[in-house]
């Protein structure tokens, strides 16, 4: 394998990456199996370094699975590689953008009697998320449920729209200073669109801690980039912004066409710095602590950005529908956020894969959603019987623990790494 190094000219700004200047051989065994490419504008942060240090352990763990015949065909050589958006080339970004727009042009497959507002295949995923909150957000389902949801979305991009890569993630720390000029949000043709227009009426979002995450200066319609003409139809599920039109159906599933609104927010991003993510991974000795710290970190009155990594990541691009807990997949950045959460969970698991891979939160919490009784509630002992069913999104109904395994789960369907 060769580690790709961006040209010094491209390093001048993260939004100008166009090509590769040179390739340098790496001696590490795992780097001979995985194609790693880096944007030199961003030095490796503490979580990146932890992952690099963990990769030999991951390689050793997978080698044991291969020797035991339990890898289901997954190897480091054939694993899909999920990259940070800023580390991708312009060609890779353009292919991803085109696939996303393609999915927005495909006909919906969701039941029309249940979701009359679903305009296209992309909306199918929004419809599922807004009506299966319990399955995706209870203690058992939060991590594996969203992993499977993200996998189904990634598979739709690949199988239905010809995308040849794997879903990118957003490294939160890269958006703590200047998200507006980042490759992800600068509004050019290879971004995921720009900020929303300034809306002085928008004051921010109330966090789960009870504190206000102040506005980042946006809140209006996205007016730049490939997604400036996106029409949001479903929702709102929760009214997060001023003057959002009401959905004609009380449950938000009717047709309610409006622009996509965003607030790119450094105040939120500062709650998900690399140091905070590192502490989440290294100080969480069990899955209950990891879960609690991710969602509701210990009170710290000296930290004005103590939102919790999960919430902080969500509201880096808040707005409508991105800030709406039910309809947030309506903004494509949702999937970047959940890919990052999946990355953090995976790195935590891989610190001790023998004991952490199938660790299940057992703090109580929500009970199974209707139709899932008997498949385990929010306790670890019952989790092995819990099933993940994505209905019209994806045909396979799988045991929840299959979605715990990124390197061979569900007969090898889950086979990806983060770099």
């Amino acid at each position: 394998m060769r580690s790709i190094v961006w040209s010094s000219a491209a390093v001048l700004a993260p939004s100008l990456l166009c090509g590769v200047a040179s390739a340098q051989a790496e001696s590490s065994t795992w780097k001979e199996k995985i194609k790693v490419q880096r944007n030199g504008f961003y030095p490796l942060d503490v979580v990146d370094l932890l992952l690099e240090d963990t990769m030999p352990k991951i390689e050793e763990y997978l080698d044991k699975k291969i020797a035991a015949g339990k890898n289901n065909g997954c190897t480091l050589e054939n694993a899909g590689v999920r990259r940070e958006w800023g580390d991708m080339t312009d060609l890779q970004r353009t292919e991803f953008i085109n696939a996303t727009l393609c999915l927005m042009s495909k006909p919906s497959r969701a039941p029309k009697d249940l979701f009359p507002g679903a305009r296209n295949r992309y909306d199918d995923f929004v419809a599922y998320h807004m009506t299966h909150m319990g399955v995706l957000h209870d203690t058992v389902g939060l991590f594996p449920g969203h992993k499977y949801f993200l996998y189904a979305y990634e598979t739709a991009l690949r199988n239905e729209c010809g995308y040849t890569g794997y879903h990118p993630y957003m490294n939160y720390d890269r958006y703590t200073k200047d998200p507006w000029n980042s490759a992800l949000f600068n509004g050019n043709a290879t971004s995921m669109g720009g900020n929303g227009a300034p809306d002085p009426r928008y004051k921010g979002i109330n966090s789960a801690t009870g504190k206000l995450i102040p506005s980042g200066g946006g809140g209006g319609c996205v007016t730049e980039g490939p997604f400036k003409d996106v029409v949001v139809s479903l929702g709102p599920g929760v009214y997060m912004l001023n003057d959002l039109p009401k959905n004609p159906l009380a449950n938000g599933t009717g047709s309610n066409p409006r622009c996509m609104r965003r607030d790119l927010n450094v105040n939120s991003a500062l709650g998900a710095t690399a140091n905070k993510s590192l502490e989440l991974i290294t100080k969480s000795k069990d899955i209950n602590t990891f879960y609690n710290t991710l969602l509701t970190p210990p009170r710290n009155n000296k930290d004005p950005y103590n939102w919790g990594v999960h919430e902080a990541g969500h509201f880096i691009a808040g707005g409508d529908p991105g800030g709406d807990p039910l309809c947030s997949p309506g903004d494509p950045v949702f999937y970047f956020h959940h890919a990052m959460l999946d990355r953090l969970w995976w790195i935590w698991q891989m610190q001790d894969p023998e004991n952490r891979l199938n660790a299940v939160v057992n703090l109580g919490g929500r009970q199974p959603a209707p139709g899932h009784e008997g498949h385990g509630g929010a306790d670890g002992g019952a989790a092995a019987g819990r099933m993940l069913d994505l209905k019209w999104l994806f045909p396979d109904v799988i045991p929840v623990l299959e979605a715990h395994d990124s390197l061979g789960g569900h007969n090898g369907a889950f086979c990806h790494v983060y770099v």
Side-chain angles (χ1 to χ4, degrees), residues 42-316:
Y42 297 104
L44 296 183
D45 63 38
V46 289
V47 176
D48 298 329
L49 292 172
L50 174 63
L51 178 55
E52 292 230 331
D53 288 343
T54 305
M55 283 303 300
K57 183 186 298 184
I58 294 171
E59 183 179 25
E60 179 183 359
Y61 168 73
L62 186 53
D63 284 345
K64 289 180 181 178
K65 289 184 70 174
I66 293 170
K70 296 181 179 180
N71 63 313
N72 293 321
C74 181
T75 67
L76 288 184
E77 290 89 343
N78 65 18
V81 181
R82 291 179 175 171
R83 310 181 189 280
E84 215 285 336
W85 183 257
D87 292 337
M88 295 166 62
T89 67
D90 279 351
L91 288 176
Q92 290 169 332
R93 295 176 197 156
T94 298
E95 184 191 19
F96 179 85
I97 290 165
N98 288 341
T100 307
L101 292 171
C102 162
L103 209 62
M104 292 177 174
S105 71
K106 297 279 186 181
S108 170
R109 299 181 188 176
K112 203 63 180 176
D113 58 331
L114 298 178
F115 304 100
R119 298 158 54 100
N120 51 53
R121 181 67 169 138
Y122 184 90
D123 281 350
D124 290 354
F125 290 83
V126 184
Y128 182 88
H129 190 272
M130 69 186 297
T131 54
H132 290 78
M133 289 290 287
V135 174
L136 290 173
H137 295 89
D138 70 5
T139 51
V140 171
L142 179 64
F143 301 128
H146 279 92
K147 180 190 281 290
Y148 195 27
F149 187 69
L150 174 62
Y151 169 75
Y153 179 74
E154 177 184 76
T155 301
L157 292 174
R158 289 171 56 82
N159 292 353
E160 299 174 37
C161 288
Y163 180 52
T164 60
Y166 294 86
H167 203 288
Y169 67 93
M170 59 185 298
N171 182 341
Y172 305 134
D173 197 76
R174 295 187 180 186
Y175 307 95
T176 57
K177 294 184 176 67
D178 186 10
W180 307 279
N181 290 308
S182 67
L184 186 59
F185 293 122
N186 64 19
N188 72 14
T190 59
S191 73
M192 294 303 293
N195 195 13
D199 184 346
R201 298 167 299 175
Y202 176 63
K203 304 303 180 185
I205 292 177
N206 286 316
S207 74
T209 65
K211 296 180 180 179
L212 180 74
I213 302 177
S215 167
C221 297
V222 173
T223 59
E224 296 179 319
F227 300 95
K228 62 182 177 62
D229 297 321
V230 164
V231 175
V232 177
S233 179
L234 294 166
V238 178
Y239 288 78
M240 307 295 290
L241 297 176
N242 303 294
D243 300 328
L244 289 179
K246 290 187 177 180
N247 195 285
L249 297 181
N251 64 1
T253 60
S255 177
N256 187 22
R258 58 201 189 277
C259 72
M260 182 168 69
R261 296 169 67 172
R262 270 189 193 155
D263 178 49
L264 298 183
N265 199 317
V266 167
N267 298 310
S268 190
L270 287 168
T273 61
N275 285 337
K276 291 181 178 180
S277 294
L278 181 69
E279 288 188 3
L280 170 68
I281 295 167
T282 59
K283 293 187 177 182
S284 297
K285 303 306 180 183
D286 56 69
I287 189 61
N288 288 351
T289 305
F290 183 86
Y291 175 90
N292 272 338
T293 305
L294 179 77
L295 297 181
T296 53
R299 179 172 295 182
N300 182 356
N301 292 329
K302 295 181 180 180
D303 182 0
Y305 309 108
N306 193 39
W307 323 120
V309 171
H310 174 268
E311 191 167 53
H314 254 304
F315 295 140
I316 289 174

